[in-house]
Amino acid sequence: MSTAADTANSKPITYRLDLGQGWTRIRLDEHAEADVNAFLDRAFAAVPADAAEAGRGLIAGRLNTQIVAGRAKGGIDFYIPTPGAGPAPALTVMASEVKIPSTAVPEPADVVARVAASNPTARTGVIAGMPAVRIDRSAGLDPDAAAEEDADDDGPQPPRPRHIEYVVPVAGDPDHRWLSIALTGQAGPGADEAKVDAAVSRFDQAVAELAWTDAEAEGPAS
């Protein structure tokens, strides 16, 4: 999946992120409306138009809210499970443009080291040829606390919210921008946490295979 975001006096950030089958990309630029309509067409393909109207309106409203919020945070695209084919957990992936505030151009390796030092769940590595950091802000991440809860309560546990973010500098970018790719969400009521774990593992693999591209994709991918 190749995508881009327009910023003032800057070329679009273009990248390829292959999350695998079952995900739909909603671009947060001028293509957003078309992407949402295509998603809704697929979601309600088997539902008569009259019966689908209320549901389409409800989901369209939610997606438009996400689009507005994503744009306000520098969002480029967000990815949601494709109707009938996506992962069971209620997960989303957001790709956003990030600028590191600094009076001088910071060295990417220094930024990654500082971020890792200030986040106990951070891991560093190399992604798409650049130093990068992975931060897991998932709720209930403390292993000791989790062990105590398991010992005190043998009953079913509520779904654990997940929030995993990768931040990587854009290779060769004259504006020294960074790309954030974050997965958020949790298993739905009664859903299997193992499916969330599998989705997180696939997300980690997709980001590890991130690649920079020169051109924007022609349309949304799923």
Side-chain angles (χ1 to χ4, degrees):
M1 301 174 189
S2 174
T3 129
D6 291 326
T7 54
N9 303 317
S10 298
K11 291 183 178 180
I13 293 176
T14 54
Y15 67 92
R16 183 173 298 278
L17 178 69
D18 183 6
L19 291 171
Q21 294 184 346
W23 290 90
T24 294
R25 175 169 60 95
I26 305 294
R27 293 167 289 183
L28 301 184
D29 56 12
E30 69 275 10
H31 300 289
E33 182 177 358
D35 289 353
V36 168
N37 286 334
F39 175 84
L40 294 173
D41 288 345
R42 180 164 184 172
F44 291 95
V47 181
D50 292 343
E53 184 176 357
R56 282 184 68 105
L58 178 62
I59 295 176
R62 291 175 177 173
L63 291 176
N64 288 332
T65 297
Q66 287 181 281
I67 289 169
V68 172
R71 286 172 173 167
K73 297 178 180 179
I76 299 172
D77 319 283
F78 71 84
Y79 303 79
I80 52 180
T82 301
L91 302 173
T92 62
V93 173
M94 177 72 76
S96 306
E97 176 187 314
V98 176
K99 289 187 177 181
I100 305 297
S102 176
T103 56
V105 177
E107 286 292 334
D110 292 340
V111 174
V112 165
R114 289 200 302 268
V115 172
S118 61
N119 291 274
T121 63
R123 298 203 318 250
T124 61
V126 176
I127 294 174
M130 303 297 288
V133 61
R134 178 190 190 272
I135 307 169
D136 193 341
R137 300 187 178 93
S138 303
L141 191 63
D142 185 344
D144 295 332
E148 292 178 3
E149 290 177 3
D150 291 342
D152 294 339
D153 188 357
D154 295 331
Q157 300 296 314
R160 179 165 65 90
R162 310 294 180 93
H163 183 171
I164 298 167
E165 181 181 17
Y166 285 86
V167 184
V168 55
V170 180
D173 184 50
D175 297 310
H176 309 287
R177 292 170 295 177
W178 293 60
L179 182 68
S180 163
I181 304 175
L183 177 145
T184 59
Q186 63 189 63
D192 188 351
E193 286 286 341
K195 291 183 178 180
V196 184
D197 294 335
V200 170
S201 295
R202 183 66 190 90
F203 171 71
D204 287 334
Q205 179 183 347
V207 178
E209 297 170 353
L210 178 77
W212 307 113
T213 62
D214 294 326
E216 182 181 7
E218 295 180 357
S222 61

